[in-house]
Amino acid sequence: QEHLVESGGGLVQAGGSLRLSCVGSGRTFDSYAMAWFRQAPGKEREFVAAVSWSGAVTHYADSMKRRVTIFRDNAKNTMYLQMNSLNFEDTAVYYCAAVIRSQGVAGPQISDYDYWGQGTQVTVSS
Protein backbone atom coordinates (compact mmCIF):
# COMPACT_ATOMS: atom_id res chain seq x y z
CA GLN A 1 0.00 0.00 0.00
CA GLU A 2 1.28 3.43 -0.95
CA HIS A 3 0.44 6.49 1.10
CA LEU A 4 0.81 9.72 -0.88
CA VAL A 5 1.10 13.25 0.47
CA GLU A 6 1.08 16.34 -1.73
CA SER A 7 2.57 19.71 -0.88
CA GLY A 8 3.66 22.91 -2.55
CA GLY A 9 0.31 24.44 -3.34
CA GLY A 10 -0.62 27.97 -2.41
CA LEU A 11 -1.62 31.37 -3.71
CA VAL A 12 0.27 32.66 -6.73
CA GLN A 13 -0.23 35.56 -9.11
CA ALA A 14 -1.10 34.96 -12.72
CA GLY A 15 2.04 34.36 -14.73
CA GLY A 16 3.84 32.86 -11.76
CA SER A 17 5.19 29.38 -11.11
CA LEU A 18 4.77 26.63 -8.56
CA ARG A 19 6.38 23.28 -7.93
CA LEU A 20 4.20 20.65 -6.38
CA SER A 21 5.61 17.62 -4.59
CA CYS A 22 4.16 14.20 -3.86
CA VAL A 23 5.92 12.03 -1.31
CA GLY A 24 5.27 8.31 -1.10
CA SER A 25 5.63 6.38 2.12
CA GLY A 26 6.16 2.88 0.79
CA ARG A 27 9.41 0.99 0.32
CA THR A 28 8.57 0.27 -3.30
CA PHE A 29 8.03 3.79 -4.59
CA ASP A 30 9.91 2.92 -7.77
CA SER A 31 7.37 0.20 -8.57
CA TYR A 32 4.70 2.79 -9.28
CA ALA A 33 3.76 4.71 -12.34
CA MET A 34 2.41 8.04 -11.14
CA ALA A 35 0.40 11.00 -12.27
CA TRP A 36 -1.04 14.38 -11.40
CA PHE A 37 -4.70 15.23 -11.70
CA ARG A 38 -6.57 18.36 -10.76
CA GLN A 39 -10.11 19.31 -9.88
CA ALA A 40 -11.44 22.82 -10.19
CA PRO A 41 -14.55 23.96 -8.30
CA GLY A 42 -17.68 22.53 -9.87
CA LYS A 43 -15.72 20.47 -12.39
CA GLU A 44 -14.67 16.87 -12.75
CA ARG A 45 -11.20 15.70 -11.85
CA GLU A 46 -8.97 15.86 -14.92
CA PHE A 47 -5.64 14.42 -15.96
CA VAL A 48 -2.60 16.68 -16.02
CA ALA A 49 0.50 14.54 -16.52
CA ALA A 50 1.91 11.05 -15.96
CA VAL A 51 5.36 9.56 -15.45
CA SER A 52 6.71 6.03 -15.58
CA TRP A 53 8.36 4.33 -12.62
CA SER A 54 11.82 5.35 -13.81
CA GLY A 55 10.91 8.84 -14.93
CA ALA A 56 12.03 8.10 -18.45
CA VAL A 57 8.57 8.20 -19.98
CA THR A 58 6.12 11.05 -19.53
CA HIS A 59 2.74 12.01 -20.94
CA TYR A 60 0.87 15.29 -20.72
CA ALA A 61 -2.62 16.55 -21.25
CA ASP A 62 -2.61 18.61 -24.44
CA SER A 63 -3.85 21.68 -22.61
CA MET A 64 -0.99 21.57 -20.12
CA LYS A 65 2.06 20.23 -21.90
CA ARG A 66 3.60 23.58 -22.79
CA ARG A 67 3.50 24.81 -19.23
CA VAL A 68 4.13 21.84 -16.93
CA THR A 69 6.88 19.30 -16.35
CA ILE A 70 6.47 16.09 -14.41
CA PHE A 71 9.49 14.34 -12.96
CA ARG A 72 10.47 12.18 -10.02
CA ASP A 73 13.34 11.37 -7.70
CA ASN A 74 12.98 7.79 -6.55
CA ALA A 75 15.82 8.15 -4.08
CA LYS A 76 13.64 10.68 -2.26
CA ASN A 77 10.35 8.86 -2.84
CA THR A 78 9.10 12.07 -4.42
CA MET A 79 7.34 13.08 -7.61
CA TYR A 80 7.09 16.68 -8.76
CA LEU A 81 5.01 18.90 -11.00
CA GLN A 82 6.63 22.10 -12.15
CA MET A 83 4.00 24.57 -13.36
CA ASN A 84 4.82 27.80 -15.17
CA SER A 85 2.82 30.68 -16.63
CA LEU A 86 -0.07 29.94 -14.32
CA ASN A 87 -3.44 31.49 -15.05
CA PHE A 88 -6.76 31.72 -13.26
CA GLU A 89 -8.04 28.57 -14.94
CA ASP A 90 -5.29 26.59 -13.22
CA THR A 91 -6.96 27.18 -9.85
CA ALA A 92 -7.79 23.72 -8.54
CA VAL A 93 -6.96 21.04 -6.03
CA TYR A 94 -4.06 19.02 -7.41
CA TYR A 95 -3.85 15.32 -6.64
CA CYS A 96 -1.11 12.79 -7.14
CA ALA A 97 -1.93 9.21 -7.98
CA ALA A 98 -0.05 5.94 -8.27
CA VAL A 99 -0.43 2.44 -9.65
CA ILE A 100 1.98 -0.48 -9.81
CA ARG A 101 3.26 -0.68 -13.34
CA SER A 102 6.55 -2.04 -14.65
CA GLN A 103 6.59 -0.33 -18.05
CA GLY A 104 5.56 3.00 -19.44
CA VAL A 105 2.95 5.37 -18.08
CA ALA A 106 -0.50 4.53 -16.87
CA GLY A 107 -3.53 6.00 -18.57
CA PRO A 108 -5.26 9.36 -18.12
CA GLN A 109 -8.37 8.00 -16.43
CA ILE A 110 -9.06 8.15 -12.72
CA SER A 111 -9.74 4.43 -12.75
CA ASP A 112 -6.20 3.74 -14.00
CA TYR A 113 -4.79 4.51 -10.54
CA ASP A 114 -5.12 2.70 -7.23
CA TYR A 115 -3.66 5.19 -4.76
CA TRP A 116 -4.41 8.86 -4.26
CA GLY A 117 -3.21 11.69 -2.10
CA GLN A 118 -5.51 14.13 -0.35
CA GLY A 119 -4.63 17.00 -2.65
CA THR A 120 -3.02 20.40 -2.42
CA GLN A 121 -4.83 23.63 -3.26
CA VAL A 122 -3.46 25.91 -5.97
CA THR A 123 -5.07 29.31 -6.27
CA VAL A 124 -4.07 31.71 -9.04
CA SER A 125 -5.02 35.33 -8.58
CA SER A 126 -5.60 37.56 -11.56
Side-chain angles (χ1 to χ4, degrees), residues 43-56:
K43 295 187 178 181
E44 295 184 350
R45 193 171 299 189
E46 66 175 354
F47 171 78
V48 175
V51 64
S52 63
W53 71 269
S54 66

Side-chain angles (χ1 to χ4, degrees), residues 37-41 45 90-95 118-122:
F37 286 73
R38 68 181 184 180
Q39 188 165 17
R45 193 171 299 189
D90 295 317
T91 295
V93 178
Y94 285 72
Y95 298 90
Q118 293 186 327
T120 185
Q121 175 71 49
V122 172

Side-chain angles (χ1 to χ4, degrees), residues 11-120:
L11 177 64
V12 61
Q13 288 189 331
S17 298
L18 277 178
R19 179 176 291 184
L20 306 182
S21 299
C22 173
V23 178
S25 63
R27 295 182 179 180
T28 58
F29 185 79
D30 58 3
S31 298
Y32 294 86
M34 302 188 70
W36 288 97
F37 286 73
R38 68 181 184 180
Q39 188 165 17
K43 295 187 178 181
E44 295 184 350
R45 193 171 299 189
E46 66 175 354
F47 171 78
V48 175
V51 64
S52 63
W53 71 269
S54 66
V57 181
T58 57
H59 177 62
Y60 296 92
D62 287 342
S63 62
M64 302 290 292
K65 61 184 177 182
R66 292 184 181 88
R67 299 188 296 115
V68 302
T69 303
I70 187 171
F71 58 103
R72 63 193 293 168
D73 184 345
N74 288 340
K76 296 181 178 180
N77 275 21
T78 304
M79 177 187 64
Y80 303 92
L81 184 71
Q82 177 68 41
M83 302 189 294
N84 302 319
S85 301
L86 289 163
N87 57 61
F88 179 76
E89 288 71 29
D90 295 317
T91 295
V93 178
Y94 285 72
Y95 298 90
C96 65
V99 64
I100 292 177
R101 187 177 177 93
S102 60
Q103 291 184 339
V105 295
Q109 305 299 322
I110 294 171
S111 58
D112 292 325
Y113 298 87
D114 293 328
Y115 304 103
W116 293 82
Q118 293 186 327
T120 185

